[in-house]
Amino acid sequence: MQDKSFMEEEELDLYEHHKIIVDKGQKPLRIDKYLMERLANATRTKIQNAIHAEFVKVNEKAVKPNYKVRPLDVITVCLPEPPRVDEIIPENIPLDIVYEDEDVLVVNKPAGMVVHPAYQNWTGTLVNALMYHFENLPTSQNGASRPGLVHRIDKDTSGLLVIAKTELAMTFLAKQFYDHSIERKYYALVWGVPDPAEGTVANYVGRSPKDRRVMTVLDEGEGKYAVTHYKVIEDLRYVSLIECRLETGRTHQIRVHMQHLGHPLFNDATYGGDKILRGTSFSKYKQFVENCFALLPRQALHAASLGFVHPRTKEKLYFEQPLPEDMQAALDKWRRYVQYE
């Protein structure tokens, strides 16, 4: 009999290739049939073999091919070889399409969706969905792993993105972003009330020398120049709803700039907004804030509007998207708290 520790060392490393969260309205359906509809180029035999080999798990547990998926089941497919960076797996993920023509696509990205495949997020991204729904998206500006993309927003930021469907659109839109002529308005819920109520933050932003996973304000020449124009829309004493207009589009720009002003985004764990930064220490207030965090389990940031010149018609297009339900619910809760306090 083999030594247990030796056997453990010999176990295969498995790499996540797919992660699917079953829709709320999904009717009971055998998992092999369900995956056939969701995974490109997957035969029923291949899926059943993967299930028998326990490469497919539901809610972290191995299942049989006749298991019937239920709403909100978390299905993962893990295989012995890691996904290739340049291999994009088309996935039948619904898209909230705001506008579409032969050149461009404007989508409303939900919070929680990563924009393009990268380390630890090979599937379930916006690009995986785009590759399923559209063919021949241009890649010249962004490389093979980012077809159609001319900009992006963070995983836990919701809102509008424009996608290039042609080489003409890719080049024309990229030039507008380079020239800072794209109109972008964000809504953010931040701790406290900025003073002055309207202003501009202009400095240099780059990766923190202390923690490369986060961005920070740096000395001149050490980062990229970043400009954010902000305005308080609603003063709720402990928090405020602000509008941010981007002149540049640096990684985490609004999140870094508001932290720099001393007003981190509400529930932004990366930049310190997931703590109580304004208000009392009373247990009732603490419970109220934690309830708000539960309603809005992400940074309170939404890409609300997007304006650009169409690459073919040269017409100015402008799109708006209202606050998503989670941000609206947290905002309404703060309004009631301030009103009846």
Side-chain angles (χ1 to χ4, degrees), residues 66-240:
N66 63 356
Y67 173 85
K68 292 187 176 180
V69 299
R70 300 178 177 88
L72 301 182
D73 273 350
V74 179
I75 303 172
T76 53
V77 181
C78 298
L79 298 172
E81 73 281 359
R84 297 202 315 270
V85 174
D86 60 348
E87 179 187 10
I88 301 174
I89 305 166
E91 293 181 81
N92 185 10
I93 301 170
L95 292 172
D96 183 359
I97 297 175
V98 177
Y99 174 84
E100 182 185 1
D101 62 28
E102 62 180 327
D103 295 293
V104 299
L105 177 77
V106 177
V107 298
N108 180 35
K109 185 190 82 68
M113 175 183 272
V114 176
V115 171
H116 62 79
Y119 177 65
Q120 293 185 332
N121 289 290
W122 300 113
T123 62
T125 74
L126 176 64
V127 163
N128 292 105
L130 291 172
M131 291 295 287
Y132 181 92
H133 294 285
F134 303 96
E135 294 181 354
N136 303 319
L137 291 174
T139 61
S140 59
Q141 298 289 328
N142 297 296
S145 67
R146 303 183 187 184
L149 295 187
V150 286
H151 68 131
R152 63 183 182 180
I153 55 180
D154 297 334
K155 172 186 175 183
D156 289 325
T157 298
S158 56
L160 296 169
L161 282 165
V162 60
I163 308 298
K165 294 176 65 179
T166 63
E167 295 289 351
L168 169 70
M170 174 69 78
T171 302
F172 197 84
L173 289 170
K175 182 67 164 57
Q176 290 182 68
F177 275 96
Y178 180 80
D179 292 339
H180 308 311
S181 60
I182 297 280
E183 291 184 30
R184 284 172 291 171
K185 181 176 70 178
Y186 288 72
Y187 285 125
L189 187 65
V190 303
W191 280 105
V193 183
D195 183 16
E198 185 171 353
T200 297
V201 188
N203 48 36
Y204 292 83
V205 169
R207 296 206 174 273
S208 168
K210 297 179 181 178
D211 185 349
R212 303 295 293 174
R213 295 170 298 178
V214 302
M215 310 298 284
T216 190
V217 171
L218 299 170
D219 293 334
E220 183 175 348
E222 292 186 6
K224 293 182 178 180
Y225 191 58
V227 181
T228 303
H229 307 284
Y230 73 88
K231 180 170 64 174
V232 174
I233 302 299
E234 190 170 0
D235 177 347
L236 295 169
R237 289 208 300 275
Y238 306 102
V239 297
S240 54

Side-chain angles (χ1 to χ4, degrees), residues 4 8 47 138:
K4 182 180 179 182
E8 289 175 345
I47 290 172

